[in-house]
Amino acid sequence: MESDSPPKKVFISYTHDSTLHSARVLKLANDLREEGIDVDIDQYHANENWPAWMEERLRWAAKVLVICTETYLRRWEGREAHQIGLGAQWESLLARQELYEATGNNKKYIPCCFSNEDSAFIPMPLRPYTRVILRGSDLKSLKNCIDDIPPAFKPLIRPSLAPIEIAHGFFSKDSEFLADEELGLTLTPENLFSNLLPLEFPPQIHTARLPVKRIARSDFEASIKRHLTDSFHPTYFIDGTILYTFDSFNHPFWKKVLADRVITPDLALPTQRLAGGTSAAEKGRFVKILNRSLEEICRSHDMAWSREMRCYYFPAAKNTTIRHVAAMALKNAGKRRIYRSIPSKSDPTQIQHWQHQAFRHKFHQFAGKWFLCITPFWAFTSDGLGKPSRWQKKSSANMRKPERNRAVLGHVVFWASILSKDQGLFDRPSSMRIRNCISGTSPLGIDDNAWANFVTDAEREVPPEMDTNDEFTLSQSQ
């Protein structure tokens, strides 16, 4: 889906100074993988063609962490004894060549030290760049450096303006500004609705470890399929070898999966750790959980996701050509058409394509809270199920042209009513909840009819396939 992004690829270059040092580097790699970063080191592999492997890993990585020690610097500078530390010397040759060709524009190699004293052993070509001192389990500075996030954000410059006096009587009933019918601005209070739907989610995200081997991973997938039921579908995503889910592993479904010994339960993370995270990796993982939860909510309402049209929509049921569903409007309950077949103009007995109610979405965070932003959309399919019609783009654009504020509001209220509806399937504490759209009252209003003066003649035309009476059912039932 739109919000999904691949994890950053990171390679760690270091020397095996001691068993303790190697263990410390291994822990660093494991911790970064827990944070959603695709890290690789030599300790994850065996029996490789090591020179070729190192060269391939340096090409593969978007970032390279150089763990600086006295031994590493000695091998970087070629001052090591004969036939000692050849791996580090080979990596340093490749890195120096890449830095040379970058002509001083280093965006890839990050010097890292386990202590302040090791800063003295940073190789000369890396000394001008930001270094990271690794202190215990605090990885925030390192993750920000990997994600190219500065330690502080530069605020916009506030311009110095002379005081501006508001015209006398601007907000009075006798104001000439408000009396301008061309603008449509009035003193009549107006209810405002947002297409932002607040989200609620459980306090914890549960994690589990998956086996690395591909055969064992297929056993996990088989276990999931074997225990699926119509009453419960798990919401989870996998990042590397870690599974994340809002669902508790005490649920009967997950107990059956655990009994198959295909995953190992791990830590339960506070949801706020990911929801309130500042790094792109943390937010990316959280958005993936939200997307999986939305996918399951839509599935419970018989909706489907179209990758080609990038929207959720209602596919046509078997042996039907039109369907309505009940939903709340602004004040009253009503019915809205969610799909219908459109006959061919040349042969009315044949179906030209299908028209579906649909929406596109994004997840946004404002003031520490998360919202689902929905954009109403018209989907057109050739089979009623999911194959986009060849007229999809044109038909969708034509449908949206004549829609005014009230029609768009009707769409938004409809989707908010559907998505925020509690069902037995989601009557469980471990699921994400979508609440109704945000609304408020403005002391000023706008006469929608006044905006008709700014509409072009082409936009005034209503497509022949648009049923205006049905289209405004929700927005007018107040």
Side-chain angles (χ1 to χ4, degrees), residues 229-425:
T229 64
D230 292 336
S231 61
F232 182 87
H233 279 240
T235 57
Y236 67 91
F237 87 92
I238 297 173
D239 185 10
T241 59
I242 305 298
L243 179 147
Y244 296 83
T245 179
F246 278 140
D247 298 329
S248 170
F249 291 128
N250 290 325
H251 190 279
F253 169 85
W254 285 109
K255 284 185 176 180
K256 294 177 182 178
V257 174
L258 293 176
D260 290 339
R261 300 183 181 277
V262 292
I263 58 173
T264 304
D266 206 348
L267 300 176
L269 305 175
T271 300
Q272 192 57 33
R273 176 175 170 181
L274 295 186
T278 56
S279 73
E282 289 173 332
K283 287 188 176 181
R285 285 199 298 273
F286 189 66
V287 168
K288 287 180 181 179
I289 298 179
L290 298 184
N291 269 312
R292 299 300 177 267
S293 299
L294 175 63
E295 181 181 350
E296 180 56 21
I297 291 175
C298 291
R299 188 201 65 82
S300 73
H301 292 295
D302 300 323
M303 282 185 269
W305 166 257
S306 170
R307 183 178 296 274
E308 294 85 355
M309 295 181 286
R310 297 180 295 112
C311 68
Y312 280 104
Y313 68 102
F314 285 99
K318 189 177 181 180
N319 298 325
T320 62
T321 57
I322 189 170
R323 182 187 171 192
H324 293 78
V325 297
M328 282 298 297
L330 297 177
K331 294 183 179 180
N332 305 318
K335 286 189 174 181
R336 194 177 189 92
R337 188 185 64 233
I338 57 174
Y339 66 77
R340 68 163 177 155
S341 62
I342 299 177
S344 171
K345 295 179 181 179
S346 58
D347 184 0
T349 63
Q350 300 296 318
I351 296 177
Q352 175 176 290
H353 56 188
W354 296 72
Q355 172 192 323
H356 308 258
Q357 283 269 4
F359 73 90
R360 290 174 170 174
H361 77 283
K362 286 186 178 181
F363 292 102
H364 291 292
Q365 184 183 30
F366 299 107
K369 297 182 178 180
W370 282 87
F371 300 86
L372 170 66
C373 177
I374 58 174
T375 302
F377 185 71
W378 287 107
F380 288 83
T381 64
S382 60
D383 57 0
L385 300 177
K387 184 178 179 181
S389 166
R390 58 175 175 166
W391 298 287
Q392 158 60 32
K393 292 184 179 180
K394 181 179 179 180
S395 297
S396 181
N398 286 341
M399 286 294 293
R400 292 195 299 270
K401 275 184 180 180
E403 291 184 334
R404 303 293 176 258
N405 180 53
R406 298 296 295 176
V408 176
L409 175 59
H411 284 296
V412 172
V413 172
F414 166 75
W415 284 119
S417 174
I418 292 293
L419 296 175
S420 63
K421 185 186 299 182
D422 289 331
Q423 293 191 347
L425 175 64

Side-chain angles (χ1 to χ4, degrees), residues 391-463:
W391 298 287
Q392 158 60 32
K393 292 184 179 180
K394 181 179 179 180
S395 297
S396 181
N398 286 341
M399 286 294 293
R400 292 195 299 270
K401 275 184 180 180
E403 291 184 334
R404 303 293 176 258
N405 180 53
R406 298 296 295 176
V408 176
L409 175 59
H411 284 296
V412 172
V413 172
F414 166 75
W415 284 119
S417 174
I418 292 293
L419 296 175
S420 63
K421 185 186 299 182
D422 289 331
Q423 293 191 347
L425 175 64
F426 282 91
D427 190 19
R428 63 191 196 194
S430 59
S431 64
M432 178 182 79
R433 298 292 182 93
I434 302 175
R435 295 309 180 192
N436 222 319
C437 54
I438 300 173
S439 62
T441 303
S442 168
L444 299 178
I446 294 179
D447 182 5
D448 295 335
N449 293 327
W451 290 97
N453 297 325
F454 301 96
V455 178
T456 65
D457 292 337
E459 290 175 327
R460 294 177 192 273
E461 297 178 1
V462 178

